Amino acid sequence: MSATLTRAALYSGAVIAALGLAAAPAQAALITLSQGHVDVVDIAYEGGVLRLGLHDETTGTGVERDPAEVTLRVKPEAGATVPSNPAFSFLGSPGAPVWILPQTSNPALLHAGWAAHELPAGAFQGDSVHLKLTAVSGPADVSLYDVSQGTPTKRFDSGDGLPDSVNVSAGAHHHTNWAFEAKGDYTLTFQATGKLTNGTTLNSAPVAYHFTVG
């Protein structure tokens, strides 16, 4: 290397150091979750801010994660067919394929739900907030529903229009069925809203959650 090039390189380094410039930080590695317990939508109220996150317990130890850095995988083992019972017609035609993360735990699949453990009692009117599914992007419709004694109760359903909303109490923890009507990549956007006991209405930022099915 010539003396001129060496001096130029040293000079450039000195300028960068003098200006306090540094290399851009590396992006966080994306994480794929495919089995175990996860509170997909984790509702919290801290420092006057209502926010949504993701609480990962798939390894047995709770970890708070940024939903933008997580892909939730619905494995092929989640494949099923739509029951003939007309009560399940919101999933599609009887016998049609559907991929379901179940309400009850299956060790081979994600046990997905929502939680409000970080929503303190007494902060919001009615001790609750509304959780809204505002948008779904993907190859087909998505529905979240409970089943009790063989009868489904829809919580969210993109097939009959959005937004849909459920009431979530402070400290609540709920698991439900997450049904996807085709293989592919989906983005579900959630938002929380609530009214503080002083009458102030708070809205969380809308947060996108990413699923890969099949």
Side-chain angles (χ1 to χ4, degrees), residues 14-214:
V15 169
I16 291 173
L19 293 176
L21 300 177
Q27 289 187 331
L30 295 180
I31 296 169
T32 297
L33 304 179
S34 60
Q35 61 188 57
H37 181 279
V38 59
D39 296 324
V40 175
V41 184
D42 188 33
I43 308 170
Y45 175 62
E46 298 173 319
V49 177
L50 184 62
R51 64 170 181 82
L52 301 181
L54 184 148
H55 187 73
D56 172 15
E57 293 188 5
T58 59
T59 63
T61 301
V63 179
E64 301 296 330
R65 299 197 185 278
D66 181 349
E69 298 171 0
V70 177
T71 295
L72 298 152
R73 186 173 177 225
V74 184
K75 298 195 292 186
E77 294 92 320
T81 55
V82 177
S84 58
N85 183 342
F88 290 89
S89 62
F90 61 91
L91 295 176
S93 302
V98 63
W99 288 260
I100 301 172
L101 295 177
Q103 177 178 341
T104 55
S105 179
N106 177 339
L109 302 172
L110 283 174
H111 190 208
W114 58 78
H117 296 309
E118 296 179 74
L119 200 65
F124 289 86
Q125 293 183 13
D127 256 349
S128 63
V129 297
H130 294 288
L131 177 63
K132 298 185 291 183
L133 177 62
T134 61
V136 169
S137 173
D141 287 319
V142 178
S143 53
L144 280 64
Y145 64 97
D146 299 341
V147 175
S148 178
Q149 298 182 337
T151 300
T153 300
K154 290 193 296 180
R155 301 303 182 187
F156 303 100
D157 182 8
S158 68
D160 61 7
L162 295 174
D164 285 340
S165 176
V166 297
N167 200 54
V168 181
S169 299
H173 182 207
H174 186 79
H175 285 269
T176 192
N177 298 285
W178 301 63
F180 301 82
E181 296 179 25
K183 294 180 180 179
D185 296 326
Y186 294 79
T187 299
L188 280 60
T189 302
F190 286 92
Q191 186 174 28
T193 183
K195 184 173 287 189
L196 295 172
T197 53
N198 66 9
T200 301
T201 297
L202 293 181
N203 296 296
S204 75
V207 176
Y209 295 83
H210 306 286
F211 292 78
T212 295
V213 179

